[in-house]
Amino acid sequence: MQSAKIINDPVFGFIRVPRGLLLDIVRHPAFYRLSRIKQLGGANIVYPGAQHTRFQHSLGAFHLMGKAILSLQQKGHFIFDSEAEAVQAAILLHDIGHGPFSHVLEHTLISGVSHEDISLMVMEQMNEEFRGQLSLAIKIFKDEYPKRFLHQLISSQLDMDRLDYLKRDAFFTGVNEANIGSSRIIDMLDVADDQLVVDKKGIYSIENYLVSRRLMYWQVYLHKTSVAAEHVMINALLRAKQLARQGLELFASPALHFFLYNDIDRQAFLHQPECLQHYLTLDDNDIWSAMKVWCSHPDPILSLLSRDFINRNIFKVEMSDQPVSEDSKQEKLKELAQRHHISQDDARYLISCIEVGKDMYSLDDDQIEIRFNDGTTHNITEASDMLSTSLAAKKVRKHYFCYQR
């Protein structure tokens, strides 16, 4: 009898999922739902190859976690089999709370609850199904387990989540300059005082990783066209939500209908089981199907935004280092209202003012520590010739003014 499921991954090759708890997770409907959610939301508008899914990413992160555990064990760090299985289960499930188009629902149809919160809710629900087999994974996921370095493998500035998505997203977008040496980084990982550290020999791989991360954020994740496309969809969903509040009946799948016609926040998720039940049936297809039908809706705003998204007529974007002035916004609202014969209040659905930012390296999160030959450890900002503290601390912020063409 085969002892494991073998999955052929385009980035890492064959990924082995052992039978038992880990394979049960991969086969669970809540996990398989991730195969219907694209990893990069609307980035395929800019990079047509970016069709990979949260399912693929979670399997890739799981694969890297197995390599990291083996590397640490070979360096003499004792990790029980139960701990190894738990941390692999946790990384498999770290993204299970993502909704359609990744972060879009967090800004539109639900409020006060993040995909991380929902991931934990799903893990706890699955733990009941699995009769407590996920209890240790949940402890590690919540950073409530004594071996804190295990949590760092799931969530830190050098976790397996980031190592996979940077390499995978660079592969599928074709941004070859951002390809990172994930295997080299994992081989250089060690543990000192219950914290992950990187051997000094791996410092150049870490520098490349940080530069690649910055490149991917500004060239892919925060690309102005990707951001604009996402906000066409966000504004369409906000308009649909407004029409639902007015009592207009809209075409939607049962799950999407639930979130359109109910105000769902964190308390609702915690106390109304049907919230999670409906959420776990939502995927990208619910949004696509609704917006295809909304293209012919009698409401001019909803139909315009839906047609724009379906037909790739993305908002025009002006980028600046300074926030958009109120005068500029009002002038644009007036112009759009006159052009489309709508009120200025309705015209607000045709613009978005967004502040986006990403630092190369956050001084507020867990730090990347480099261990030297004498056993001492130093922050990457001290150990690197390239990454000074002033450079790392520099806050890069950009303002996007998006509006109907």
Side-chain angles (χ1 to χ4, degrees):
M1 181 179 176
Q2 189 181 20
S3 62
K5 181 76 172 177
I6 307 297
I7 298 171
N8 194 355
D9 178 66
V11 177
F12 295 120
F14 293 115
I15 294 177
R16 179 181 176 275
V17 185
R19 290 187 180 275
L21 174 63
L22 298 174
L23 187 54
D24 288 344
I25 291 171
V26 172
R27 287 177 168 169
H28 195 280
F31 186 81
Y32 194 66
R33 162 183 164 273
L34 297 179
S35 67
R36 302 188 297 276
I37 296 176
K38 284 194 175 66
Q39 170 77 4
L40 293 183
N44 62 305
I45 286 175
V46 183
Y47 299 97
Q51 302 288 343
H52 56 302
T53 65
R54 292 274 164 188
F55 180 86
Q56 292 168 287
H57 159 61
S58 297
L59 285 172
F62 160 79
H63 171 72
L64 294 180
M65 183 66 79
K67 292 172 68 73
I69 291 167
L70 181 60
S71 176
L72 293 175
Q73 286 174 329
Q74 289 173 342
K75 290 170 183 169
H77 301 289
F78 194 80
I79 300 173
F80 290 104
D81 290 344
S82 59
E83 293 171 333
E85 181 182 64
V87 77
Q88 286 177 295
I91 198 67
L92 270 176
L93 294 168
H94 78 282
D95 267 355
I96 202 163
H98 267 290
F101 292 90
S102 295
H103 299 280
V104 167
L105 285 196
E106 295 173 48
H107 305 301
T108 53
L109 304 186
I110 60 177
S111 61
V113 58
S114 67
H115 73 271
E116 292 93 349
D117 297 327
I118 298 173
S119 289
L120 186 55
M121 293 177 194
V122 179
M123 290 172 70
E124 289 170 343
Q125 178 176 291
M126 290 176 65
N127 194 33
E128 292 182 14
E129 292 180 44
F130 292 160
R131 298 181 180 180
Q133 292 183 80
L134 290 174
S135 296
L136 181 55
I138 291 171
K139 275 189 175 181
I140 294 171
F141 184 82
K142 294 167 68 176
D143 199 12
E144 294 176 352
Y145 191 65
K147 292 183 180 177
R148 190 163 185 274
F149 72 90
L150 294 176
H151 173 77
Q152 288 183 302
L153 290 170
I154 300 167
S155 180
S156 67
Q157 293 206 70
L158 204 58
D159 55 39
M160 299 306 108
D161 172 31
R162 298 186 195 197
L163 289 186
D164 178 81
Y165 77 62
L166 286 174
K167 191 172 185 70
R168 186 170 302 275
D169 295 348
F171 176 87
F172 281 101
T173 56
V175 182
N176 296 321
E177 308 94 318
N179 190 20
I180 63 168
S182 55
S183 294
R184 171 71 174 171
I185 291 172
I186 288 172
D187 286 343
M188 293 296 104
L189 286 180
D190 211 330
V191 176
D193 298 324
D194 197 30
Q195 300 285 318
L196 284 181
V197 297
V198 179
D199 191 278
K200 185 178 182 295
K201 290 183 291 185
I203 192 169
Y204 300 120
S205 297
I206 300 300
E207 289 175 342
N208 177 63
Y209 160 79
L210 293 172
V211 171
S212 297
R213 186 169 168 232
R214 179 179 184 274
L215 176 67
M216 286 297 290
Y217 268 96
W218 291 113
Q219 191 167 326
V220 178
Y221 309 137
L222 298 176
H223 189 288
K224 67 176 186 177
T225 305
S226 297
V227 171
E230 182 175 290
H231 278 266
V232 173
M233 186 198 316
I234 285 173
N235 286 10
L237 289 171
L238 289 172
R239 181 62 174 182
K241 183 78 171 177
Q242 178 63 25
L243 295 176
R245 287 196 179 110
Q246 294 172 6
L248 273 71
E249 190 58 36
L250 299 170
F251 173 87
S253 66
L256 182 57
H257 188 279
F258 176 82
F259 287 99
L260 282 172
Y261 287 86
N262 295 280
D263 292 326
I264 304 301
D265 57 13
R266 182 180 180 82
Q267 289 304 310
F269 261 97
L270 290 173
H271 301 294
Q272 300 175 28
E274 62 268 28
C275 292
L276 194 57
Q277 178 184 338
H278 283 297
Y279 189 88
L280 289 177
T281 65
L282 278 174
D283 56 49
D284 290 2
N285 298 307
D286 294 81
I287 307 298
W288 279 114
S289 299
M291 294 189 75
K292 283 167 66 178
V293 175
W294 294 346
C295 286
S296 56
H297 193 276
D299 179 74
I301 309 298
L302 182 62
S303 58
L304 175 62
L305 291 169
S306 299
R307 288 196 304 272
D308 284 348
F309 186 74
I310 294 294
N311 299 323
R312 200 187 179 279
N313 184 34
I314 306 307
F315 282 167
K316 185 174 177 60
V317 183
E318 295 178 7
M319 296 177 62
S320 172
D321 294 330
Q322 301 298 322
V324 182
S325 70
E326 192 61 34
D327 287 345
S328 296
K329 283 192 279 188
Q330 291 303 318
E331 184 179 336
K332 183 57 68 176
L333 282 171
K334 184 178 179 181
E335 175 194 324
L336 290 169
Q338 290 174 347
R339 187 195 314 163
H340 295 283
H341 309 291
I342 57 177
S343 68
Q344 288 195 34
D345 188 53
D346 283 345
R348 64 192 169 89
Y349 290 101
L350 303 183
I351 72 168
S352 288
C353 298
I354 311 145
E355 179 184 353
V356 296
K358 203 65 186 179
D359 311 323
M360 179 186 290
Y361 178 75
S362 175
L363 297 174
D364 300 323
D365 294 339
D366 285 346
Q367 302 298 293
I368 298 177
E369 297 290 331
I370 306 297
R371 187 173 63 186
F372 285 74
N373 295 336
D374 60 2
T376 59
T377 61
H378 301 273
N379 192 284
I380 182 67
T381 58
E382 301 169 356
S384 170
D385 297 330
M386 180 197 78
L387 187 67
S388 65
T389 302
S390 59
L391 179 61
K394 184 180 179 182
K395 304 293 184 184
V396 180
R397 297 291 181 268
K398 296 182 182 179
H399 297 268
Y400 295 22
F401 184 28
C402 310
Y403 52 85
Q404 177 72 26
R405 290 180 182 275

